[in-house]
Amino acid sequence: MIDIHSHFFPLIGKDVAHKVDAEKAAWLRVDEGGQKGHIMLGDQPFRPVYRALWDPAYRVQELDEQGVETQLVCSTPVMFGYTWDPAKAADWAAQMNEQAIAFCADHPSRLKALSQVPLQDIKLACAEASRAQAAGCVGVQIGNHVGEKDLDHPDLVDFLIHCANENIPVFVHPWDMMGGPGRMKQWMLPWLVSMPAETQLGMLSLILSGAMERIPESLKICFAHGGGSFAYLLGRVDNAWKYRDIVRKDCPRPPSEYARRFYCDATIFDQGSLRLLADVHGVDRLMMGSDYPYPLGEQPIGSLVQASSFSPNEKQQILHDNAITFFNLA
C-alpha cells in the first residue's frame, strides 16, 4: 500500500516560531516522556498529537504494523504561513521543506516528502516548488485558497501551470475554513462541514471560471478528503450549468466533463461514497490516503478500500499503482 495523505510536524520550538510570528507561527510542545504533545499556535494549544508526528523511526514501525509500504508526508496546514510577508514565508517554506526531506532521509523507500510554498507570492512559490522538487520532494501541497484568492485567481492558475510544465504533482488540502467561530462553534463543525465545502469550492472555481481550459491537461492535481462535497453535488452543478447562463458563461462544457481531470484521495470512510468517487472520477483517479496520524484519520490504514467490492485489480490501482504513476515513484 502507498498512503498519499499523511502529515508530519518537525520539532520546532517556541523560540524559533515566535521569531517568525509570535501569535500564529506553529510550534511543537512535547510533553515529558516524549510520547505525546500539542501543536501550539502562539501560546494556545491547537491539537493534541503523539510521537509518530515527529519521529520517523516510530512512524515506520507503525507503518510496518499496518502493512504500508510507502507513505507521503506533508506539512500540517497551520504551517503554511500564507498571511505573512512573502519573503518571510518563503524562508519558512524552505526551512520546512528541508525538515520534511530530513524526516524521510533515513527511510527513503518508506517515506516521501511533499513540499510547501509561499503561495501568496507566485514567483517565490514557483521557485520554491522547483527547488524543493530538485532537492528530493515528490510533489507540492497547497491550501485551497490564499485569503480571498481561490484556485481560479490568475496568480494561482499561473502556479498550477508552472507545476504542469515542471511535472510537479499538486496535492490540494483545505484550510482556513469558512464559517467562523460564530456558526462553527462546536462538535468539530469546521472539519465536518467547512472542510468538504472548501474543497468543493476549489474544484468548482477551477471548472466554472474556465481555468481548466487554460491549464495544461498534463497537470497532476489531487484533492484531499475525497474531493469534499464535489462528487455528491456534481449533478446539481450540471443542472445549474444547463439552465442558467450565469453558471456557464465562462465554462464551455458541462462541469462533469472535467471530473476526470481531478484525482482524489480515498479518505472518506464510507463504501457508498467510495463507489461514487469511482463513478465520477474513475478508479484510475483514486489513491489511498489516511490523514495519519491525526484522530480523524483512517484506522486501520487502507481498510476502506480493502473491504470494498472493487475487483482485486481495482483495489491494486487505488492502494498502490495510481500513486506510483501520479507521483512518479517508479
Side-chain angles (χ1 to χ4, degrees):
M1 293 189 295
I2 298 176
D3 179 3
I4 70 136
H5 180 180
S6 78
H7 297 284
F8 90 110
F9 202 107
L11 287 168
I12 300 169
K14 180 177 180 179
D15 291 346
V16 172
H18 278 204
K19 289 179 181 178
V20 180
D21 187 324
E23 294 184 0
K24 296 181 179 179
W27 57 282
L28 192 62
R29 187 188 73 196
V30 178
D31 297 341
E32 187 175 352
Q35 299 298 313
K36 297 182 179 181
H38 277 82
I39 295 175
M40 305 290 291
L41 296 181
D43 294 321
Q44 300 300 313
F46 171 70
R47 178 177 295 167
V49 293
Y50 77 106
R51 183 178 170 186
L53 190 65
W54 64 83
D55 184 337
Y58 187 85
R59 176 177 293 227
V60 168
Q61 178 181 322
E62 292 204 334
L63 297 184
D64 287 341
E65 293 169 356
Q66 300 210 34
V68 177
E69 173 191 347
T70 301
Q71 189 174 67
L72 276 61
V73 304
C74 56
S75 62
T76 302
V78 292
M79 299 164 68
F80 285 156
Y82 290 164
T83 61
W84 300 340
D85 171 78
K88 181 186 293 186
D91 181 67
W92 175 264
Q95 291 184 52
M96 294 307 101
N97 293 338
E98 292 306 310
Q99 293 270 11
I101 292 168
F103 184 88
C104 302
D106 288 341
H107 310 275
S109 68
R110 307 297 303 281
L111 301 173
K112 307 286 186 181
L114 300 181
S115 65
Q116 68 179 73
V117 295
L119 205 56
Q120 63 268 59
D121 185 301
I122 298 310
K123 183 177 180 180
L124 292 176
C126 290
E128 180 56 24
S130 295
R131 186 204 69 81
Q133 197 76 4
C137 290
V138 298
V140 59
Q141 177 193 217
I142 63 171
N144 67 297
H145 68 106
V146 178
E148 298 296 312
K149 296 180 180 180
D150 288 307
L151 292 179
D152 64 309
H153 189 279
D155 287 349
L156 302 190
V157 171
D158 283 348
F159 177 76
L160 294 178
I161 292 172
H162 172 82
C163 290
N165 292 336
E166 296 287 319
N167 193 24
I168 300 173
V170 179
F171 181 61
V172 183
H173 197 291
W175 86 297
D176 191 26
M177 280 83 77
M178 62 181 72
R183 300 188 68 203
M184 304 292 176
K185 51 187 176 294
Q186 54 182 322
W187 315 303
M188 293 194 75
L189 287 178
W191 282 263
L192 302 179
V193 176
S194 301
M195 265 195 171
E198 288 285 358
T199 305
Q200 182 194 23
L201 175 58
M203 298 168 82
L204 288 182
S205 295
L206 287 171
I207 292 172
L208 296 179
S209 68
M212 295 306 291
E213 296 292 324
R214 303 189 297 275
I215 295 171
E217 291 197 13
S218 60
L219 175 68
K220 296 176 178 178
I221 185 167
C222 177
F223 288 85
H225 310 137
S229 312
F230 178 82
Y232 181 76
L233 296 175
L234 188 54
R236 178 179 177 87
V237 180
D238 267 1
N239 183 69
W241 182 91
K242 181 178 179 181
Y243 289 108
R244 294 299 304 271
D245 57 0
I246 193 173
V247 177
R248 63 176 178 267
K249 67 183 182 70
D250 298 314
C251 182
R253 294 182 282 158
S256 57
E257 292 191 14
Y258 298 88
R260 286 187 56 81
R261 296 275 305 271
F262 299 143
Y263 286 71
C264 295
D265 71 20
T267 316
I268 48 174
F269 312 101
D270 179 81
Q271 292 293 344
S273 299
L274 181 62
R275 175 56 66 180
L276 176 63
L277 277 184
D279 290 342
V280 169
H281 297 283
V283 169
D284 61 334
R285 295 296 188 267
L286 304 184
M287 296 181 284
M288 190 271 287
S290 68
D291 215 355
Y292 170 100
Y294 291 134
L296 290 185
E298 182 182 55
Q299 290 293 330
I301 295 174
S303 56
L304 181 72
V305 176
Q306 290 174 330
S308 72
S309 61
F310 290 119
S311 70
N313 180 63
E314 290 171 327
K315 291 180 182 180
Q316 174 76 5
Q317 286 182 273
I318 300 170
L319 291 170
H320 184 271
D321 295 355
N322 294 339
I324 293 286
T325 301
F326 186 90
F327 289 104
N328 308 306
L329 299 179

